[in-house]
Amino acid sequence: QVQLVESGGGSVQAGGSLQLSCTASGFSFSSYGMGWFRQAPGKEREGVAHITASGGTIYDESVKGRFTISKASARNALYLQMNSLKPEDTAVYYCARSAGGWVSRTPSDYIAWGQGTQVTVSS
């Protein structure tokens, strides 16, 4: 079955960096769009960065220039490099698979989710 497993979360000070990883299994990774979402306490889940099957990317305005999404299809792996982290980046981060090769920023367009990894940024 489809499985997505995130890793790499942790606690850092503002201005620091983290790299999240998502290992995928149970489907043809290179055929699907993938995304990173986050959810802070009391807030709705929001799209952070997304990459299409062909490698096109889109980012939320709040992370442009600071976060980079990438993938290694040979390893069935998705990454999110997060630099210049801010306290407002604190959230649980989720890896998700789109229903097709395209992506959107809408959570309901994604049909498989990982369990999430906590990112905490202190000021």
Side-chain angles (χ1 to χ4, degrees), residues 4-7 20-24 29 34 36 76-79 95:
L4 300 170
V5 180
E6 302 97 336
S7 61
L20 305 183
S21 299
C22 172
T23 301
F29 181 78
M34 300 292 296
W36 287 100
N76 287 356
L78 180 72
Y79 305 102
C95 166

Side-chain angles (χ1 to χ4, degrees), residues 77-105:
L78 180 72
Y79 305 102
L80 185 68
Q81 178 65 42
M82 305 185 294
N83 298 328
S84 302
L85 282 160
K86 304 176 181 180
E88 50 264 44
D89 295 319
T90 295
V92 177
Y93 283 70
Y94 298 89
C95 166
R97 194 202 88 177
S98 173
W102 44 267
V103 295
S104 80
R105 296 179 55 196

